[in-house]
């Protein structure tokens, strides 16, 4: 939610900031703004709408300052407007601030400040921050006017804030410095010899540096172009080491594809190959670096919770089948925002697995903290090294999908699926809970999957031409049985997100208990059939909708009479537990081409943002 970028160095800041904002637009795109330190003081320029509106503002190209902060907004408090866009300033225009997150007690703080003579010009929660900094700065009676006083004012202001925040502050009084801080909202500092780049997301600044500092909650960094000092909440100096990120800059470019989403769909064979890595070796041994579970411990687990949001939660729905069948451990899948408020039964015999591409999803992190508080062991599956979730979880397992830029998740999903299946195999192997030949078959299949995924992508043209027939529809249904229900849910979510077509997904056998009332002549029903044990039953359910006039699109790895259906996409056969990794691909492409057919912005669908760092 919202993107933050900052620069402090020797070059003009504004082009670097605009470039960074363009890369961050997938985090929010309601309005954008920048503030730089110019010879005459702080300058703020902002506008409603996309970054290109900001870029076209008169005077923006004349900015010469070499220190600046910038923001692209996903509105929470206050409608998208120029007034509500960041940066915000205090009344005396001494401080400029950009902020990601939500200040929960902003009303209370606003009243306090108003009682002290401060005026407010926006509807945002953020505007309290620069004014609070000014309040503490002007009240500070210590006879010094150096960066320590600046830091103290920012620290005092932050201690008053409840909620989540990643903040950048610059001041006309301290033209050499920038202060940044975070709590429950991502912020990274990229560093090279005499330049510093700040961002809410690694990919936005990957073309400048691969060396990063990661801040923990309520750690403050005070930057100059060639130094970064870190402080804890008590303003004691702390040391941090630089971490090198392996992602290369071109991974965050479109590389000739029209959209990031299509590029990322096509990157899936590589992404899963990288994620498998050496976790399953060619001699079919399975090991997960960083995990050292033994049979005694695994035997004590009486419940596995898989907790996540959206697409990541659908990974859990697929994995539940394999955990229960192969490891014989009861497994429950929870939506993170529900889990945290439903008093789940958690104790030291519970294992909780949290899945999050970004590693920054507020609900998932809150659920993780809750699980830890009740004594559960926690594993995070994430794509982003150094993300918040990795600092909270007992164990962090990384997918190696590379940066995922499109809002609609594709390669992260299939990488998460492969990783969780490897985890399941690792558990089953230690537990001895399923027969060796099945485990061997699964390992062999996993090593085959990158090739099978490449094969699956060949359905592109077929799917595209079907999308051209149905892109104007208003409602589309997705059906599946068993593990295919999870794929139906994910296919339906993908379609909603980027095509704005209403869609429902149902277990095929549930249809006749209500939803079949919605089936009418010409409606499209998409079915996924990968489980040989259930295929006949699903076909019967499809017959029921055909009888009522539905158009049918089938994704299957199974042999059957294809003539019954309007369109059949044949995908390679694999073990049922792994089949969602292949069966989702035609559905990703279908959503993509429907969205393109409607002329929509595939990568930046309305109302959505890539990383949901608010509750
Ligand atoms: C859908 C999508 C979202 C995310 C969800 C969780 O395409 O991307 O549903 O899966 O917001 O995000 P992460 O995985 O970053 O926790």
């Amino acid at each position: 939610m919202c993107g933050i970028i900052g620069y402090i160095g020797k070059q003009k800041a504004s082009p670097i900031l605009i470039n960074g904002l363009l890369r961050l637009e997938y985090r929010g795109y309601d309005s954008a703004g920048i503030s730089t330190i110019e010879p005459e003081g702080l300058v703020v320029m902002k506008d409603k709408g996309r970054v290109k509106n900001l870029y076209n503002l008169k005077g923006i190209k004349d900015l010469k300052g070499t220190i600046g902060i910038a923001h692209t907004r996903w509105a929470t408090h206050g409608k998208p407007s120029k007034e509500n866009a960041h940066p915000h300033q205090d009344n005396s225009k001494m401080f400029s601030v950009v902020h990601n997150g939500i200040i929960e007690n902003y009303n209370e703080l606003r009243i306090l400040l108003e009682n002290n003579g401060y005026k407010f010009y926006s509807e945002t929660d953020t505007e309290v921050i620069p004014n609070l900094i000014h309040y503490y700065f002007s009240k500070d009676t210590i006879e010094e006017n150096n960066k320590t006083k600046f830091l103290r004012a920012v620290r005092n202001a932050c201690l008053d804030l409840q909620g989540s925040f990643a903040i950048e502050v610059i001041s006309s009084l301290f033209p050499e410095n920038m202060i940044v801080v975070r709590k429950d909202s991502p912020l990274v500092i990229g560093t090279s010899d005499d330049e510093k780049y700040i961002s809410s997301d690694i990919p936005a600044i990957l073309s400048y540096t691969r060396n990063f500092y990661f801040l923990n909650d309520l750690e403050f960094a005070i930057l100059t172009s060639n130094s970064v000092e870190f402080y804890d909440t008590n303003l004691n100096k702390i040391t941090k080491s630089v971490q090198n990120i392996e992602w290369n800059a071109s991974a965050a470019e479109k590389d000739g594809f029209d959209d990031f989403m299509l590029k990322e769909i096509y990157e899936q064979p590589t992404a899963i190959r990288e994620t498998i890595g050496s976790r399953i070796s060619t001699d079919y041994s399975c090991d997960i670096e960083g995990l050292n579970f033994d049979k005694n411990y695994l035997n004590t687990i009486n419940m596995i919770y898989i907790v996540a949001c959206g697409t990541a939660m659908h990974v859990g729905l697929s994995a539940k089948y394999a955990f229960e069948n192969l490891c014989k451990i009861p497994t429950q899948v929870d939506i993170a925002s529900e889990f945290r408020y439903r008093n789940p039964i958690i104790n030291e015999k519970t294992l909780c697995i949290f899945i999050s591409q970004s590693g920054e999803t507020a609900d998932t992190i809150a659920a993780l903290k809750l699980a830890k508080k009740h004594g559960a062991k926690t594993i995070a599956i994430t794509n982003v090294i150094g993300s918040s979730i990795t600092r909270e979880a007992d164990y962090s397992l990384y997918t190696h999908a590379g940066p995922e830029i499109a809002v609609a998740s594709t390669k992260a999903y299939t990488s998460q699926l492969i990783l969780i299946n490897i985890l399941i195999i690792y558990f089953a192997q230690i537990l001895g809970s399923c027969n060796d030949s099945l485990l061997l078959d699964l390992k062999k299949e996993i090593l085959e999957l990158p090739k099978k995924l490449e094969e699956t992508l060949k359905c592109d043209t077929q799917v595209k031409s079907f999308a051209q027939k149905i892109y104007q529809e208003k409602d589309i249904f997705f059906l599946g049985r068993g593990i295919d229900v999870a794929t139906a849910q994910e296919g339906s979510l993908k379609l909603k997100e980027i095509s704005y077509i209403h869609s429902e997904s149902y277990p095929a056998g549930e249809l006749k208990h209500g939803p079949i009332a919605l089936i009418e002549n010409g409606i499209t029903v998409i079915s996924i059939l990968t489980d040989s044990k259930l295929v006949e039953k699903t076909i019967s359910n499809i017959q029921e909708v055909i009888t009522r006039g539905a158009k049918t699109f089938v994704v299957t790895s199974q042999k059957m009479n294809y003539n019954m259906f309007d369109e059949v996409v044949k995908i390679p056969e694999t073990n049922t537990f792994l089949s969602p990794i292949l069966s989702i691909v035609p559905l990703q492409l279908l959503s993509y081409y429907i969205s393109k057919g409607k002329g929509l912005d595939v990568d930046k669908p309305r109302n959505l943002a890539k990383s949901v760092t608010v509750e």
Side-chain angles (χ1 to χ4, degrees), residues 291-304 329 347-352 375-379 394-395 427 430-431:
L291 283 192
N292 50 0
F293 293 163
D294 59 23
K295 193 169 179 174
N296 282 346
Y297 164 66
L298 291 181
N299 271 325
T300 65
I301 301 174
N302 59 10
M303 170 66 89
I304 294 177
I329 306 176
N347 52 42
E348 58 293 342
K349 293 185 177 166
T350 315
L351 174 68
C352 292
K377 233 189 231 327
T378 56
I379 299 180
D394 297 323
Y395 304 93
F427 277 25
I430 298 173
L431 283 165

Side-chain angles (χ1 to χ4, degrees), residues 447-458:
L447 294 181
E448 288 296 309
L449 273 179
K451 263 201 263 128
K452 290 191 176 179
L453 220 157
E454 273 161 20
E455 187 64 30
T456 309
L457 282 163
K458 291 186 185 151

Side-chain angles (χ1 to χ4, degrees), residues 522-533:
I523 206 156
T524 297
V525 176
I526 296 173
S527 309
I528 304 102
L529 294 87
T530 64
D531 187 341
S532 58
K533 295 188 296 304

Side-chain angles (χ1 to χ4, degrees), residues 309-312 355-359 361 407-409 416 493-494 497 612:
C309 304
T311 289
I355 309 174
S356 173
Q357 186 283 131
S358 61
T361 301
V407 165
S409 184
Q416 288 160 355
L493 176 66
K494 223 67 323 161
E497 279 183 278
V612 187

Side-chain angles (χ1 to χ4, degrees), residues 267-268 270-276 279 315 381 383 398-402 404 410-422 453 581:
E267 280 174 347
Q268 291 180 108
T270 311
I272 67 165
R273 199 173 274 124
E274 293 291 320
T275 301
I276 298 165
R279 287 164 172 151
V315 172
I381 293 184
N383 195 35
Y398 289 101
T399 48
H400 296 290
E404 190 179 65
T410 53
K411 63 175 180 172
Y413 175 70
T414 42
S415 302
Q416 288 160 355
L417 279 171
I418 203 111
L419 180 49
I420 203 160
N421 274 289
I422 295 174
L453 220 157
I581 295 166

Side-chain angles (χ1 to χ4, degrees), residues 419-445:
L419 180 49
I420 203 160
N421 274 289
I422 295 174
L423 182 68
I424 293 164
I425 291 169
Y426 169 82
F427 277 25
Q429 191 176 267
I430 298 173
L431 283 165
S433 50
C434 77
N435 68 51
D436 290 346
S437 67
L438 175 55
L439 277 186
L440 184 64
D441 177 53
L442 280 162
K443 290 175 193 169
K444 284 183 178 162
E445 275 302 315

